[in-house]
Amino acid sequence: IFNGLAHLIMVGLFRTRVPKEAPHCWTIHIYALVAVNAWLWSTVFHTRDLLWTERLDYFCATSIIIFQLFHCFRRCIGGLWKSMLFGAVLLRVFVGHVYYLAAVKFDYGYNMKVMVFLAGVNSVLWLALVVKNRRQPHMWKCGATVVLVNLLALLELGDFPPIWWTFDGHALWHAGTAPVVVLWYSFLIDDCKQLLRQTQLKKS
């Protein structure tokens, strides 16, 4: 619940601080919709543990990582046709992944490996962006977000007895990622405004 609310609150803040003409503005709006949808189904699954709610939780979690890869490509490379082609490839990967899990075999191990691989590629690409633009003062927020998310992911991957018989690794992962959402949108706001300034300077 807290993660979904964090996305809703922060995209609202994004809308008030970033002009609509800023680069990647609408990409981030779509990302927010994808993220809110994913956390909605995560909440549903954790309140109603059924076969179909579990499937939607897993599939929607994958959709966040897939869309972040698309967003990173748009940010780093850009270009309408290149983005459309890359988006089509990612859509094919997502549909194939969902089809295999839904129609062939729901394999938890396979799903975890795919998620870890996609998240790893996602992290490397965003960190590469940070290194390339390290002189821009807001880039530390992107780097910090990536590092924090990967550290928190160790809780999700770890297997240890629940603390006080209540808080296991999965619960701590959910609790830890909500504040990171705030940092991530703070980066997105600064980055879009910076890109808008650069675009305006080129036109002047």
Side-chain angles (χ1 to χ4, degrees):
I1 294 176
F2 290 121
N3 282 276
L5 286 175
H7 279 282
L8 281 173
I9 293 170
M10 291 309 295
V11 77
L13 184 64
F14 179 91
R15 288 171 61 86
T16 62
R17 295 191 177 182
V18 178
K20 293 180 180 179
E21 63 271 19
H24 312 301
C25 180
W26 291 107
T27 302
I28 294 167
H29 278 79
I30 297 171
Y31 161 72
L33 288 174
V34 171
V36 169
N37 177 68
W39 287 110
L40 171 65
W41 286 111
S42 175
T43 302
V44 171
F45 168 58
H46 286 86
T47 54
R48 295 288 293 173
D49 188 353
L50 302 171
L51 180 65
W52 65 275
T53 59
E54 180 187 42
R55 299 296 190 264
L56 284 171
D57 178 34
Y58 277 70
F59 299 157
C60 292
T62 306
S63 71
I64 296 181
I65 301 176
I66 291 286
F67 196 86
Q68 283 181 326
L69 280 171
F70 174 75
H71 180 199
C72 189
F73 183 90
R74 287 272 295 153
R75 175 61 178 83
C76 296
I77 298 175
L80 178 61
W81 291 106
K82 290 179 181 178
S83 297
M84 289 178 65
L85 179 60
F86 187 67
V89 171
L90 289 178
L91 181 61
R92 173 64 182 85
V93 171
F94 178 68
V95 171
H97 180 65
V98 170
Y99 173 79
Y100 177 80
L101 292 176
V104 180
K105 180 184 179 182
F106 194 85
D107 188 328
Y108 291 95
Y110 160 77
N111 181 70
M112 182 61 71
K113 289 176 183 177
V114 171
M115 293 285 282
V116 170
F117 174 75
L118 291 174
V121 173
N122 198 30
S123 297
V124 169
L125 291 177
W126 281 110
L127 288 175
L129 176 70
V130 172
V131 173
K132 182 180 178 181
N133 299 278
R134 57 187 176 277
R135 294 189 178 181
Q136 296 183 14
H138 66 283
M139 278 292 163
W140 72 268
K141 297 179 182 179
C142 179
T145 300
V146 173
V147 172
L148 287 171
V149 167
N150 280 278
L151 289 175
L152 288 166
L154 296 177
L155 296 172
E156 178 79 348
L157 297 173
D159 184 17
F160 55 87
I163 300 172
W164 298 321
W165 300 280
T166 305
F167 304 106
D168 60 3
H170 188 68
L172 293 173
W173 151 261
H174 279 277
T177 49
V180 178
V181 171
V182 177
L183 180 62
W184 179 242
Y185 276 90
S186 178
F187 160 71
L188 294 177
I189 290 169
D190 292 343
D191 196 50
C192 282
K193 291 167 72 173
Q194 172 68 18
L195 291 172
L196 179 60
R197 285 193 293 268
Q198 291 175 354
T199 302
Q200 291 171 338
L201 285 174
K202 289 178 181 179
K203 291 181 178 179
S204 62

